[in-house]
Amino acid sequence: MNKKRTLSRRIDRAFHITESGSSIKRESLAGLTTFVSMAYILFVNPSILGDAGMDKGAVFTATALSAILGSLLMGILANYPIAIAPGLGDNAFFTYSVVIAMGIPWEDAMAGVLVAAVLFTILSFLKVREIVIDAIPQDLKYAMAAGIGIFISFVGLQGGGLIIANKSSLVGIGSFTVPTVWLTVFGIFVIAILMAKKVPGAIFIGLVATTILGLLTGLIKAPHHIISMAPSLKPTFGVGLEHLSIMTDPKMWAVVLIFLIVAFFDTAGTLIGLAQQAGIMKGNKMPHIGRALMADSLSMLGGAFMGTTPTSAYVESSAGIAIGGKTGFTAVVVAFFFLLSMVFSPLLTVVTTQVTAAALIVVGVLMVSALRDIHWDQFEIALPSFLVVIGMPLTYNISYGIAFGFLTYPILMTAAGRRKEVNGIMWTMLVVFVVLLYVLNILPK
C-alpha cells in the first residue's frame, strides 16, 4: 500500500497533476478515452499504406510503436495531454499522391519520408519550425486542414464503393447492389449517430460495429485467431535508409518538401487548438512549445525508420481533455494502451477497406470544420484558400492544392494593396512552389 502511495506521489510531482487541478484517476480515464477515440489509426493506417504495396502487418506494428514513442515523448517532455500517432493526411499523400499518382515505389517514397524526418528534427532544434509556422497566414492553415479533410473523405467514399469512376463525368455514384457498400453506409450512420450523441470513441465503436456486421453477414471472413505476437517489422524497418540513393532524383526532393510542409502545419494547428481547450495557453503563447514540437519530430524520425508515414498530434485528444485530462500523464496512459493493443494484429484481416471507409469520411468532416474560420469576404484571401481546398481532391494530390494557394496568395494580396502584410517567408514559399511544380510536371522524367 505504501509503495502504491509513493508511486502515486512521484507521478503526481513529475506531471504536476494536483497542481493542475486534476487527479491520477481522472488523467488515466482521459488517457483511455483518447486512446479509444484514436485507436482506429491502428487499422486505417495499414489499410491506406497497404494500398501503396506495404506489408500491412509491419505497418500495424510500426503504427503502434510510433504512437507509443510520440505519446510518451509528448507526455514526458512537454507535459501535454496530447497523443501522437501517424497522421491521416500524411499517409494519404504518401499512398495516393506519391506512390500511385507519381509512380514512385513505396521503398523510395519511404526514403523521402526519412529525409524529411531528419530535416524536420534539425529544423525543430534550430527553432526554424516555429518561425515558419508563425509566418504562414492563418487562413491558409485552415484551408490546408480542410482540403486534406475533403481529400481523405473522397478516398473513403471511393474505398467504400459509394463513388466510382465514370467515363463521362470522371466520377459517379456507386452501385447499391454491391453488398459491401452497405457496410460503409452502416458504418457512417453508426459513427454519425454516436458523434451527434457525443459518445467518446464514436469512430472506434463504429469500426467495431461495422466489422461485427460484416462477420455476421459473411461479407467479411473471420480470422483464425484474435491474439498473437505483434507482426514483424522486417518488411518495412530501415527500408528508407536502404533506398537513400534515390534522393539524387529531383522529384524526390519535391516529395520531401511536401512532407515537410504538411507536417509543419498539421501538428502546429492541432497543438494550438488543443492547448486552448486544455487551458494550457498563457498570454496567447504555449509554454514548452519547443519541447512539444521536438516530441513530434523525434516520433516522426522513429516512425520513418520503422516504416510508417509522419506522425502528428491527434485532434481526438480533445475527447480526453474534455473529461479532465490536463497533464502529460494522459498521453503516457495513451502510450500504455497502444502497447497493449499490439497483440491484436490478427484483427487486421477483418478491418476491410469498406470498414475503414466510414472512419475516413467522418474524420474528413471533422477537419473541414476549419473552413468556418477563413475570411471568405476578402477575395484576396478567399481565392487562395479555395484553391487549396478544392485543389487537393480534384487533382488527387495534396501537394498541388497547397501549391495553388501559396502561389496565388502573395500576388493577390499585393494586387489588393496589402503587400506589407505578406512577409518574406511567403515570397520565398512562392519561389519554392514554382520550382516544385516545375520538378513535378515539366522536368523530363
Side-chain angles (χ1 to χ4, degrees):
M1 194 71 176
N2 288 332
K3 289 184 178 180
K4 284 186 178 180
R5 288 179 179 175
T6 301
L7 179 61
S8 296
R9 283 196 293 268
R10 287 179 178 176
I11 293 174
D12 192 3
R13 286 197 299 267
F15 295 96
H16 307 287
I17 296 176
T18 301
E19 183 182 330
S20 300
S22 187
S23 65
I24 292 179
K25 181 179 179 180
R26 188 182 300 166
E27 297 288 312
S28 300
L29 183 59
L32 173 60
T33 302
T34 295
F35 169 76
V36 171
S37 298
M38 63 184 289
Y40 65 85
I41 194 61
L42 285 168
F43 306 107
V44 175
N45 199 41
S47 176
I48 291 177
L49 296 185
D51 288 346
M54 296 183 69
D55 183 277
K56 291 185 178 181
V59 174
F60 174 90
T61 302
T63 301
L65 289 175
S66 59
I68 292 168
L69 175 64
S71 297
L72 280 177
L73 288 173
M74 183 65 78
I76 295 172
L77 291 181
N79 199 25
Y80 285 175
I82 297 172
I84 288 180
L88 275 177
D90 297 303
N91 56 21
F93 170 69
F94 179 93
T95 295
Y96 304 110
S97 296
V98 177
V99 176
I100 295 177
M102 296 175 64
I104 296 175
W106 73 263
E107 296 89 346
D108 293 344
M110 194 54 68
V113 173
L114 179 59
V115 172
V118 172
L119 294 175
F120 204 52
T121 304
I122 293 173
L123 292 174
S124 294
F125 268 115
L126 298 176
K127 297 188 181 299
V128 173
R129 197 174 165 195
E130 296 176 48
I131 296 171
V132 175
I133 288 172
D134 290 339
I136 303 300
Q138 192 65 49
D139 293 272
L140 292 187
K141 292 177 185 175
Y142 292 139
M144 289 172 63
I148 293 172
I150 294 175
F151 181 76
I152 288 173
S153 289
F154 187 45
V155 170
L157 289 166
Q158 284 184 305
L162 290 167
I163 287 180
I164 58 174
N166 185 300
K167 290 184 178 179
S168 61
S169 59
L170 296 182
V171 294
I173 192 168
S175 174
F176 288 95
T177 61
V178 179
T180 52
V181 171
W182 287 100
L183 281 181
T184 300
V185 173
F186 173 79
I188 292 171
F189 275 101
V190 170
I191 295 174
I193 291 171
L194 293 176
M195 292 285 288
K197 294 175 72 66
K198 295 180 171 55
V199 175
I203 294 176
F204 183 71
I205 295 171
L207 287 177
V208 173
T210 307
T211 302
I212 292 174
L213 177 63
L215 291 170
L216 292 176
T217 56
L219 295 175
I220 298 175
K221 293 182 180 179
H224 298 296
H225 48 279
I226 296 176
I227 297 176
S228 74
M229 292 293 290
S232 171
L233 274 177
K234 188 176 180 180
T236 60
F237 187 82
V239 170
L241 190 62
E242 295 171 2
H243 287 75
L244 280 179
S245 59
I246 192 63
M247 295 312 300
T248 55
D249 184 348
K251 284 195 174 183
M252 288 306 303
W253 285 100
V255 172
V256 169
L257 176 63
I258 293 300
F259 272 125
L260 275 174
I261 290 173
V262 173
F264 245 94
F265 308 131
D266 194 7
T267 292
T270 303
L271 279 175
I272 293 171
L274 293 175
Q276 289 175 333
Q277 180 189 1
I280 296 173
M281 299 288 283
K282 295 181 180 179
N284 203 34
K285 291 187 178 181
M286 290 179 64
H288 314 307
I289 180 62
R291 296 181 187 178
L293 293 175
M294 184 54 62
D296 177 48
S297 301
L298 292 176
S299 61
M300 177 178 171
L301 185 59
F305 272 106
M306 290 183 281
T308 186
T309 43
T311 54
S312 171
Y314 260 62
V315 71
E316 286 81 3
S317 300
S318 62
I321 293 173
I323 65 169
K326 293 183 177 181
T327 74
F329 189 65
T330 292
V332 171
V333 172
V334 172
F336 171 73
F337 280 110
F338 267 110
L339 179 63
L340 289 181
S341 70
M342 293 180 68
V343 300
F344 294 103
S345 61
L347 293 178
L348 277 172
T349 59
V350 301
V351 185
T352 63
T353 302
Q354 289 75 26
V355 172
T356 57
L360 293 178
I361 294 166
V362 173
V363 169
V365 173
L366 298 177
M367 296 180 73
V368 168
S369 64
L371 287 173
R372 67 173 177 265
D373 297 314
I374 296 174
H375 292 86
W376 296 108
D377 57 331
Q378 301 172 35
F379 191 78
E380 60 273 22
I381 290 175
L383 181 62
S385 300
F386 177 76
L387 291 176
V388 170
V389 173
I390 203 69
M392 292 182 187
L394 291 189
T395 63
Y396 216 74
N397 192 307
I398 293 171
S399 61
Y400 290 150
I402 296 174
F404 296 161
F406 278 67
L407 286 172
T408 53
Y409 180 84
I411 296 172
L412 291 185
M413 287 292 284
T414 300
R418 301 172 63 179
R419 186 180 181 282
K420 292 183 178 180
E421 297 179 41
V422 183
N423 54 60
I425 291 178
M426 285 304 296
W427 286 109
T428 302
M429 295 299 288
L430 183 149
V431 175
V432 167
F433 276 108
V434 167
V435 174
L436 182 143
L437 289 176
Y438 172 78
V439 171
L440 290 179
N441 296 281
I442 301 175
L443 195 68
K445 296 182 179 180

PDB file of all heavy atoms in Angstrom, residues 17 94 154 159:
ATOM      1  N   ILE A  17       0.235  17.026 -11.445  1.00  0.00           N
ATOM      2  CA  ILE A  17      -1.184  16.689 -11.612  1.00  0.00           C
ATOM      3  C   ILE A  17      -2.076  17.462 -10.646  1.00  0.00           C
ATOM      4  O   ILE A  17      -3.030  18.132 -11.058  1.00  0.00           O
ATOM      5  CB  ILE A  17      -1.395  15.173 -11.449  1.00  0.00           C
ATOM      6  CG1 ILE A  17      -0.667  14.425 -12.572  1.00  0.00           C
ATOM      7  CG2 ILE A  17      -2.890  14.827 -11.465  1.00  0.00           C
ATOM      8  CD1 ILE A  17      -0.709  12.925 -12.464  1.00  0.00           C
ATOM      9  N   PHE A  94       1.255  10.108 -49.062  1.00  0.00           N
ATOM     10  CA  PHE A  94       2.257   9.090 -49.370  1.00  0.00           C
ATOM     11  C   PHE A  94       1.716   8.079 -50.386  1.00  0.00           C
ATOM     12  O   PHE A  94       2.349   7.805 -51.415  1.00  0.00           O
ATOM     13  CB  PHE A  94       2.658   8.367 -48.080  1.00  0.00           C
ATOM     14  CG  PHE A  94       3.672   7.273 -48.252  1.00  0.00           C
ATOM     15  CD1 PHE A  94       5.027   7.539 -48.095  1.00  0.00           C
ATOM     16  CD2 PHE A  94       3.286   5.974 -48.554  1.00  0.00           C
ATOM     17  CE1 PHE A  94       5.970   6.527 -48.253  1.00  0.00           C
ATOM     18  CE2 PHE A  94       4.221   4.956 -48.714  1.00  0.00           C
ATOM     19  CZ  PHE A  94       5.559   5.236 -48.562  1.00  0.00           C
ATOM     20  N   PHE A 154     -12.900  11.834 -49.648  1.00  0.00           N
ATOM     21  CA  PHE A 154     -13.012  11.354 -51.028  1.00  0.00           C
ATOM     22  C   PHE A 154     -12.411   9.957 -51.151  1.00  0.00           C
ATOM     23  O   PHE A 154     -12.981   9.063 -51.794  1.00  0.00           O
ATOM     24  CB  PHE A 154     -12.300  12.338 -51.960  1.00  0.00           C
ATOM     25  CG  PHE A 154     -12.476  12.046 -53.419  1.00  0.00           C
ATOM     26  CD1 PHE A 154     -13.722  11.731 -53.936  1.00  0.00           C
ATOM     27  CD2 PHE A 154     -11.401  12.083 -54.283  1.00  0.00           C
ATOM     28  CE1 PHE A 154     -13.894  11.474 -55.287  1.00  0.00           C
ATOM     29  CE2 PHE A 154     -11.555  11.819 -55.633  1.00  0.00           C
ATOM     30  CZ  PHE A 154     -12.807  11.508 -56.143  1.00  0.00           C
ATOM     31  N   GLY A 159     -13.127   4.095 -51.391  1.00  0.00           N
ATOM     32  CA  GLY A 159     -12.841   2.807 -50.773  1.00  0.00           C
ATOM     33  C   GLY A 159     -14.097   2.050 -50.386  1.00  0.00           C
ATOM     34  O   GLY A 159     -14.144   0.819 -50.455  1.00  0.00           O
TER      35      GLY A 159
END
